[in-house]
Amino acid sequence: MCGIVGYLGKRAALPVIIKGLKRLEYRGYDSAGVALLNGKLEILKKQGKVSDLEAVIGDKKFTATLGIGHTRWATHGEPSDRNAHPHISTDGKLAIIHNGIIENYASIKKELESNGHKFQSDTDSEVLIHLIEEIKKQNKCSIDEAVRLALNEVVGAYAIVVLAEEEERTMIAARKGSPLVIGLGKDEFFVASDATPIIEYTNNVTYLNDQEMPFIQKLEMDLEDIEKGGYPHFMLKEIFEQPRSVRDAMRGRLVSREHHLFLSGVDQYLNRFLNADRLILIGCGTSWHAGLIGEYLFEDLSRIPTEVEYASEFRYRNPIVTERDIVIAVSQSGETADTLAAIELAKSKGALIFGVCNVVGSSIARASHAGAYLHAGPEIGVASTKAFTSQVTILTMLALYLGLKKGTISMSDYQKHLLELDSVPDKLGKILEKEKEIQVISEVFYRASNFLYLGRGFNFPVALEGALKLKEISYIHAEGYPAAEMKHGPIALIDADMPVVFIATKDSSYEKVVSNIQEVKARKGKVIAIVTEGDKEIKSMADYTFEIPKIADALVPLLAVVPLQLLSYHIAILRGCNVDQPRNLAKSVTVE
């Protein structure tokens, strides 16, 4: 959840660390701090933003070429200066930054207190540095050995970096269940919780695995990918990048002129896919919504029984999983703790794991038997946009490919869908050209207290995703429902102050959705409808409409979600919200 940056080399460490912490601001945090080592440890930390930490540092000059920095997202202890990282040992000679949760911290803390340790914070992280200090003292061992022994005693997840005054040219890093990347430069080293603070300096990185030796690979990320590129916010930039990111998800996989898909990650396990009893899609948040669209796709096109599970519930539900099941793990970051735990559970029962994630070398990518990268590029905005459409694109190609191999879709339908899929980037571009229409709607409804989002079939998950986006960045209460379920409760909420967003494209459920709109209008509800180009019937009854290009029913989610992303963005801006860093949220949930 929090961000880690460390530097050891010839440069002044502080500017590298501060810049790195700013690159990690998208992850969500409530405080920031640094530890610098130049003969003695110097600790500076502050509740609030990295800019608040910079104000504390002021004009002070630091020549240290070794240091660590951290942005914290509260798990144990409220946001405050005292709970900010880094934390130090009793003697002040050891410092630690920690991402994760130490589950047995309370019992360890009690024992340490009985040995005279005094704690300055309410965090589990401080307990770990005191434990390292105690073990070092009792065993008269080196700092790296003390760290190793201490980690054998803790239960939980962690990515840590430790500094010790006695080791002026050493950073000690370790991880279990929480991401950590090491960058290798010329006579310098970098440590970070993801690659964004490192790419400016080197593209040679080591992704640390749990309890195994690391490997080195080149980063595919460009520095310009993590800059705003003239947009006021990362979220808006990433919404407008979707024509490119969807195209990149298809690149090398969809060759429309040959009417063919190439999915190497599937081919190596094709027999298991074709003979699977069931597909189980797991994810959290927006990735779960992508998985829900995947369920419709796989059952409609591939005729494979499919279930969609919240990873956070799956792992605790004692699920029935066999070696004839395939688990498709969907995650932007590839580091989601609940999804990783669900993967390990499914693997222990013999299931094949197919990962769908964005970050090369991430934990989920490495834990999967096979998979497909999104190739969406870095997504900095906390509210996922381009990753969602890239996930749906990958799942669509997978469903079509399996449908062809199983013979559940005709060659003509297969080819038609490929041509339609190939047209999605251009159609997304046309939607984005009409951003001003969404701005007009936003200006009407940004003061609303509640929203209802409704859709049927493939568009029901789009309704869920639209509602989630509005909640995440504007803090307006919003709910998504299947349109037919409106009569089973939500209709009681509808009045003249309730905006209702319908995904009402011309598909097999069109007439039913028209009836649902009439029911809302009869109760004086305000209707915003996403419709197919040229639709006059719904336009005559809705208060506001936004047209999207005509496309096959299975591909509508790729288009329909974009105006909902823009609606959320512009409403949030009008409400004065921080759309890139919404309150209480983190980009990648790497703790339970």
Side-chain angles (χ1 to χ4, degrees), residues 51-340:
S51 58
D52 296 312
L53 174 62
E54 288 184 291
V56 170
I57 296 170
D59 296 328
K60 297 176 187 173
K61 302 297 181 184
F62 296 93
T63 59
T65 57
L66 170 60
I68 54 178
H70 190 269
T71 53
R72 175 180 185 257
W73 188 86
T75 52
H76 291 82
E78 65 182 10
S80 65
D81 292 352
R82 66 192 296 268
N83 287 332
H85 292 221
H87 292 291
I88 60 172
S89 55
T90 300
D91 62 11
K93 295 182 178 181
L94 305 177
I96 191 171
I97 51 178
H98 168 227
N99 184 5
I101 292 178
I102 306 302
E103 295 177 8
N104 60 338
Y105 82 98
S107 58
I108 295 173
K109 185 175 184 178
K110 185 176 181 180
E111 182 177 347
L112 288 169
E113 286 176 327
S114 69
N115 289 337
H117 286 261
K118 304 294 184 183
F119 291 87
Q120 305 301 317
S121 77
D122 306 312
T123 69
D124 55 335
S125 306
E126 188 188 6
V127 173
L128 184 51
I129 196 63
H130 281 261
L131 177 61
I132 293 168
E133 179 186 31
E134 182 68 16
I135 288 174
K136 187 176 185 299
K137 176 182 175 183
Q138 290 182 5
N139 292 273
K140 296 182 172 57
C141 59
S142 64
I143 181 61
D144 55 315
E145 179 67 5
V147 171
R148 187 185 68 79
L149 292 172
L151 294 178
N152 285 335
E153 294 190 22
V154 301
V155 176
Y158 55 79
I160 65 168
V161 187
V162 175
L163 298 184
E165 285 189 0
E166 67 185 49
E167 296 284 353
E168 286 198 21
R169 302 304 298 162
T170 301
M171 285 188 294
I172 300 170
R175 64 149 285 184
K176 179 184 177 184
S178 196
L180 202 62
V181 181
I182 296 177
L184 309 173
K186 183 175 175 56
D187 299 324
E188 59 185 356
F189 298 89
F190 306 84
V191 178
S193 44
D194 69 40
T196 54
I198 293 175
I199 187 59
E200 183 171 349
Y201 307 100
T202 180
N203 62 357
N204 290 317
V205 299
T206 296
Y207 286 90
L208 290 186
N209 292 323
D210 291 342
Q211 301 175 337
E212 68 180 41
M213 295 296 291
F215 63 94
I216 298 173
Q217 65 186 73
K218 284 188 178 289
L219 288 174
E220 297 179 355
M221 188 187 305
D222 291 324
L223 181 61
E224 66 184 46
D225 287 337
I226 56 176
E227 302 291 359
K228 291 179 183 175
Y231 288 90
H233 300 94
F234 283 112
M235 183 180 179
L236 187 62
K237 172 178 179 273
E238 288 154 7
I239 290 172
F240 273 82
E241 284 177 339
Q242 286 174 112
R244 186 187 75 180
S245 58
V246 168
R247 177 68 68 198
D248 287 345
M250 296 188 288
R251 195 180 306 280
R253 293 163 175 154
L254 169 60
V255 184
S256 58
R257 66 179 179 275
E258 297 179 12
H259 307 298
H260 194 61
L261 287 170
F262 296 92
L263 298 176
S264 58
V266 178
D267 284 338
Q268 59 183 311
Y269 292 100
L270 185 58
N271 286 335
R272 287 195 69 171
F273 272 96
L274 297 182
N275 295 297
D277 287 343
R278 179 178 55 158
L279 301 179
I280 304 171
L281 285 88
I282 58 173
C284 300
T286 287
S287 295
W288 186 85
H289 295 158
L292 196 57
I293 294 172
E295 179 182 29
Y296 283 82
L297 291 165
F298 288 119
E299 294 195 341
D300 183 56
L301 301 172
S302 314
R303 306 305 296 156
I304 303 175
T306 305
E307 297 178 10
V308 186
E309 300 274 2
Y310 285 110
S312 55
E313 287 296 309
F314 179 81
R315 58 179 298 202
Y316 293 114
R317 199 169 47 77
N318 192 21
I320 299 171
V321 182
T322 75
E323 65 278 359
R324 291 181 60 84
D325 293 327
I326 294 176
V327 171
I328 300 177
V330 186
S331 168
Q332 188 283 135
S333 67
E335 302 292 350
T336 310
D338 287 318
T339 306
L340 277 165

Side-chain angles (χ1 to χ4, degrees), residues 378-525:
E379 186 177 67
I380 306 302
V382 167
S384 182
T385 52
K386 67 176 181 176
F388 173 78
T389 47
S390 295
Q391 288 167 345
V392 174
T393 300
I394 295 291
L395 296 174
T396 302
M397 290 190 291
L398 181 55
L400 286 167
Y401 190 69
L402 294 177
L404 179 69
K405 295 295 184 181
K406 286 176 66 70
T408 56
I409 182 173
S410 69
M411 178 59 76
S412 61
D413 278 349
Y414 173 76
Q415 293 177 350
K416 175 188 172 184
H417 277 84
L418 292 189
L419 288 171
E420 294 253 36
L421 187 57
D422 192 50
S423 74
V424 167
D426 290 340
K427 290 177 178 178
L428 288 173
K430 291 179 180 178
I431 290 170
L432 291 167
E433 288 173 1
K434 301 191 295 180
E435 179 194 8
K436 295 293 184 185
E437 294 181 25
I438 295 294
Q439 284 183 275
V440 170
I441 298 172
S442 302
E443 289 166 2
V444 176
F445 293 105
Y446 77 94
R447 292 188 181 91
S449 300
N450 300 281
F451 267 75
L452 192 61
Y453 287 72
L454 301 173
R456 284 179 181 254
F458 288 103
N459 291 328
F460 160 51
V462 179
L464 293 176
E465 176 62 11
L468 177 62
K469 283 292 151 288
L470 192 69
K471 282 183 281 195
E472 284 181 315
I473 63 170
S474 75
Y475 318 138
I476 295 175
H477 174 254
E479 297 295 337
Y481 282 92
E485 286 296 302
M486 181 181 66
K487 294 189 291 293
H488 298 278
I491 198 168
L493 299 172
I494 294 172
D495 58 21
D497 297 320
M498 170 68 85
V500 182
V501 180
F502 280 91
I503 300 93
T505 53
K506 285 203 170 179
D507 56 20
S508 58
S509 301
Y510 179 76
E511 297 302 330
K512 299 289 187 183
V513 174
V514 169
S515 296
N516 296 140
I517 292 174
Q518 290 171 333
E519 289 167 343
V520 171
K521 292 305 296 178
R523 289 157 180 83
K524 303 187 185 305

Side-chain angles (χ1 to χ4, degrees), residues 535-550:
D535 187 322
K536 295 180 180 178
E537 183 175 2
I538 291 179
K539 197 166 188 176
S540 68
M541 64 181 74
D543 296 277
Y544 298 90
T545 57
F546 185 91
E547 295 185 356
I548 63 173
K550 181 174 176 56

